Amino acid sequence: MTTTSTVPTVPYDEALQEFEPVIGLETHVELGTASKMFCGCDTAFGAEPNTHTCPVCLGLPGALPVVNATAIESTIRIGLALHCDIASWCRFARKNYFYPDMPKNFQTSQYDEPLCTDGYLDVVVAGETVRIPIERVHLEEDTGKSLHVGGATGRIHGADHSLVDYNRAGIPLVEIVTKPVTGTGAMPAEVAKAYVAELRDVLRGLGVSDVKMEQGSLRCDVNVSLNRPGEEWGTRSETKNVNSLRSVERAVRSEVERQAHRLRNGERIVQETRHFHEDTGMSTSGRSKEEATDYRYFPEPDLVPIAPDPAWVAELKAALPEAPSVRRRKLVAELGLSDNDSAAMVNAGVLDVVLATVEAGASAAEARNWWLGHLAQKANERGTEAVELPVTPEQVARVIALVGEGTLTAGLARQVLDGVLAGEGEPDEVVAARGLAVVSDEGALTTAVDEAIAADPDAAEKVRAGKVAAAGALVGKVMKATRGQADASVVRRLVLERLGVTEG
Amino acid sequence: MPEITREEVAHLARLARLALDEAELDVLAGQLDVILGAVAQIAEVTDAADVPPTSHAVPLENVTRPDVVVASLPRDAALAGAPAAEEGRFRVPRILDEE
Ligand SMILES: [Zn+2]
């Protein structure tokens, strides 16, 4: 379990000079429908265990599933946004396996007749457009959640028994599978991350999912193999449980480094499933795939075929929102952002949130400064990406507006954002709860100024004698006394006024 | 040539978590072979006439429901059929394989 730290590796850049990477990504997206895929149970996250179940999603004998129309529509829209062909006729299939996360002992999925096939998604990495080919987009149902009891850390290892919650079982789940992606050269990890980020933006733009990686509504499996130039593709490993953008990058990177070392030493790569651990950024070996699982797929007899009307599909296609990449280009042009500025934001992965902050009413400069400054720093402290922080562009725009109207200083605004990040609520709630508004009551400020002057007669005397620079010490005292809640320029004016000095 | 071998029946039994003893395997392999032989005879006819396999006996398509939430079972009712429950969850034996 913890043998990962001793796995020998070759540094990433060095590995990629010697080997060519082939990557593949399987992304699972929980759709944001109100009800489950085949029954009317609520899909809301965070309910008490097993309060969103019924005979259908519990797989009780005689229960019959019926397809959620919105889930079909959302899946087709995803396929269209990814430039896929939409099937004119397809069926669901049973994927048979025994595991307590599915009470039916099979998962209703799609096998050789997916709803959408053969598309692509373009992503920009280091200024270059990389086309990621999409193999298929199909619809299935999510599984329940297990809690392993008796083990040391809630993991399976050493567990005594497991407790299962079926609230999530049956929530519509879309699987998006890329074709093998070649030609990523020295940047397979960066391309993988950019793909998942772009896919998330597309899905968010379609409004089909809340795409929250931290809540598991968007999850990734990452396949990696290496080969020497001119040779056949190598054996691939599949890393599961990759649940943040940063981890997608780390998962590819660590596999490249691990596999390169084995190959360089003439060892073979085992075709296996590896498990990614968010805490260490490393993966550990799981089930070997060499004993291939036989799922005995067959057409689901309880569900009739889906045959999307081509006219309806054409309507859905015509009504698709603008692709994020197109919207991004337009906004960048409208805002007159420089190439350097937009490149910096693309590199930090914040261009979309900056643009969203601007759309929520902030100026481009302010939005840029907050996302590349304080929020980037906070993300760094937490070991995550700015876009994954629990703060929305609307909230950032509100904080910027509060600064603009003089309710907050920049320093207070930072504290308000910290409060939002700490889960204390909306910016206005944080301002109220923490008492962070600027003290604009000049009466109260004047009292604080007088106290500062009384406490530091030397500085006061110097100011009276014309050494205006000495006012800084007094201003500092007032700012400290008001815990940063005063506007420093107002305090400075008051200090000078009280000491009878006018600045020329 | 048999349609299904004894080894294949044993493999399927394992996948279906059926504990079959040696004698049962002998009997079932023979019986399944007869059934599959009969199906193969039908396949000869349908293949010749280019009839697609039937997965659904009723000619229906696009049966869907609107995305509307309906009441779930009360939790006690949901757990009532479980062999064991704990903390509002279904209690199942330790899982040996990885997640
Ligand atoms: Zn249900």
Side-chain angles (χ1 to χ4, degrees), chain A residues 180-310:
Chain A
V181 182
T182 58
T184 56
M187 304 188 299
E190 293 80 353
V191 170
K193 178 183 158 192
Y195 163 75
V196 178
E198 187 70 20
L199 182 60
R200 189 181 59 171
D201 289 342
V202 168
L203 295 166
R204 187 185 283 134
L206 291 171
V208 294
S209 168
D210 64 8
V211 289
K212 285 185 178 159
M213 293 191 88
E214 71 280 7
Q215 286 183 3
S217 54
L218 181 71
R219 335 195 262 274
C220 257
D221 300 343
V222 178
N223 296 324
V224 178
S225 74
L226 295 181
N227 59 270
R228 288 202 168 76
E231 289 185 358
E232 282 186 14
W233 292 353
T235 306
R236 68 191 168 91
S237 67
E238 180 179 25
T239 306
K240 294 199 175 268
N241 304 341
V242 188
N243 293 339
S244 70
L245 288 181
R246 188 162 166 265
S247 296
V248 170
E249 181 169 7
R250 291 194 299 171
V252 175
R253 186 176 281 264
S254 67
E255 265 307 277
V256 165
E257 294 175 345
R258 185 188 70 87
Q259 292 187 15
H261 188 274
R262 291 189 67 89
L263 292 171
R264 194 184 263 184
N265 287 281
E267 296 172 276
R268 79 190 181 105
I269 306 299
V270 181
Q271 189 177 345
E272 63 180 354
T273 302
R274 300 182 65 83
H275 295 273
F276 190 79
H277 305 290
E278 292 282 340
D279 45 355
T280 59
M282 304 294 289
S283 65
T284 50
S285 176
R287 156 165 50 92
S288 164
K289 273 262 173 100
E290 299 201 332
E291 194 185 337
T293 318
D294 184 349
Y295 290 121
R296 293 157 295 141
Y297 283 98
F298 64 85
E300 166 59 64
D302 288 343
L303 293 168
V304 302
I306 300 294
D309 176 3

Side-chain angles (χ1 to χ4, degrees), chain A residues 15-318:
Chain A
L16 293 168
Q17 280 169 18
E18 193 172 336
F19 298 98
E20 290 174 348
V22 180
I23 56 175
L25 292 129
E26 286 178 26
T27 311
H28 285 96
V29 189
E30 260 184 19
L31 294 180
T33 52
S35 67
K36 290 189 180 181
M37 185 63 227
F38 301 114
C39 62
C41 287
D42 197 330
T43 57
F45 182 80
E48 284 294 303
N50 293 305
T51 52
H52 293 168
T53 68
C54 73
V56 172
C57 57
L58 287 175
L60 299 187
L64 282 174
V66 188
V67 166
N68 183 330
T70 303
I72 299 285
E73 178 177 314
S74 296
T75 307
I76 292 174
R77 292 178 67 229
I78 293 170
L80 291 170
L82 298 176
H83 314 95
C84 289
D85 300 328
I86 308 303
S88 55
W89 191 88
C90 67
R91 289 174 296 188
F92 285 95
R94 288 190 183 183
K95 178 181 180 181
N96 297 282
Y97 66 93
F98 288 88
Y99 197 82
D101 65 1
M102 278 313 283
K104 302 185 290 191
N105 288 340
F106 63 83
Q107 180 187 31
T108 307
S109 181
Q110 294 193 282
Y111 180 47
D112 49 357
E113 298 167 3
L115 258 174
C116 325
T117 50
D118 203 18
Y120 65 86
L121 181 62
D122 286 338
V123 303
V124 178
V125 184
E128 297 214 14
T129 299
V130 181
R131 177 155 293 187
I132 308 292
I134 306 288
E135 171 84 28
R136 58 188 279 154
V137 177
H138 80 238
L139 186 50
E140 58 186 34
E141 57 181 332
D142 211 345
T143 58
K145 274 188 190 166
S146 309
L147 192 69
H148 306 294
V149 182
T153 55
R155 286 183 181 162
I156 279 178
H157 192 72
D160 174 54
H161 60 275
S162 301
L163 300 177
V164 194
D165 169 13
Y166 290 121
N167 282 350
R168 199 180 66 180
I171 291 183
L173 195 66
V174 169
E175 181 173 319
I176 301 161
V177 185
T178 68
K179 293 178 183 169
V181 182
T182 58
T184 56
M187 304 188 299
E190 293 80 353
V191 170
K193 178 183 158 192
Y195 163 75
V196 178
E198 187 70 20
L199 182 60
R200 189 181 59 171
D201 289 342
V202 168
L203 295 166
R204 187 185 283 134
L206 291 171
V208 294
S209 168
D210 64 8
V211 289
K212 285 185 178 159
M213 293 191 88
E214 71 280 7
Q215 286 183 3
S217 54
L218 181 71
R219 335 195 262 274
C220 257
D221 300 343
V222 178
N223 296 324
V224 178
S225 74
L226 295 181
N227 59 270
R228 288 202 168 76
E231 289 185 358
E232 282 186 14
W233 292 353
T235 306
R236 68 191 168 91
S237 67
E238 180 179 25
T239 306
K240 294 199 175 268
N241 304 341
V242 188
N243 293 339
S244 70
L245 288 181
R246 188 162 166 265
S247 296
V248 170
E249 181 169 7
R250 291 194 299 171
V252 175
R253 186 176 281 264
S254 67
E255 265 307 277
V256 165
E257 294 175 345
R258 185 188 70 87
Q259 292 187 15
H261 188 274
R262 291 189 67 89
L263 292 171
R264 194 184 263 184
N265 287 281
E267 296 172 276
R268 79 190 181 105
I269 306 299
V270 181
Q271 189 177 345
E272 63 180 354
T273 302
R274 300 182 65 83
H275 295 273
F276 190 79
H277 305 290
E278 292 282 340
D279 45 355
T280 59
M282 304 294 289
S283 65
T284 50
S285 176
R287 156 165 50 92
S288 164
K289 273 262 173 100
E290 299 201 332
E291 194 185 337
T293 318
D294 184 349
Y295 290 121
R296 293 157 295 141
Y297 283 98
F298 64 85
E300 166 59 64
D302 288 343
L303 293 168
V304 302
I306 300 294
D309 176 3
W312 176 57
V313 172
E315 270 171 43
L316 292 179
K317 185 170 186 176

Side-chain angles (χ1 to χ4, degrees), chain A residues 33-37 39-41 49-53 66-70 89 91 98-99 156 159-164 166 275 294 296 300 303-307, chain B residues 11-12 14-17 53 55-56 60-70 72-73 75 78-79 86-99:
Chain A
T33 52
S35 67
K36 290 189 180 181
M37 185 63 227
C39 62
C41 287
N50 293 305
T51 52
H52 293 168
T53 68
V66 188
V67 166
N68 183 330
T70 303
W89 191 88
R91 289 174 296 188
F98 288 88
Y99 197 82
I156 279 178
D160 174 54
H161 60 275
S162 301
L163 300 177
V164 194
Y166 290 121
H275 295 273
D294 184 349
R296 293 157 295 141
E300 166 59 64
L303 293 168
V304 302
I306 300 294
Chain B
H11 176 64
L12 287 170
R14 196 164 56 81
L15 288 174
R17 304 296 189 273
S55 63
H56 299 83
L60 273 178
E61 286 170 348
N62 297 327
V63 177
T64 60
R65 40 170 271 275
D67 181 26
V68 175
V69 174
V70 298
S72 294
L73 287 175
R75 182 157 75 184
L79 292 170
E86 195 176 308
E87 295 172 40
R89 296 172 170 92
F90 291 79
R91 182 180 162 142
V92 299
R94 184 164 75 111
I95 302 154
L96 291 172
D97 199 357
E98 290 276 356
E99 238 174 327

Side-chain angles (χ1 to χ4, degrees), chain B residues 3 36-51:
Chain B
E3 295 287 336
L36 289 172
V39 173
Q41 276 186 330
I42 296 170
E44 271 172 37
V45 179
T46 54
D47 284 356
D50 212 11
V51 178

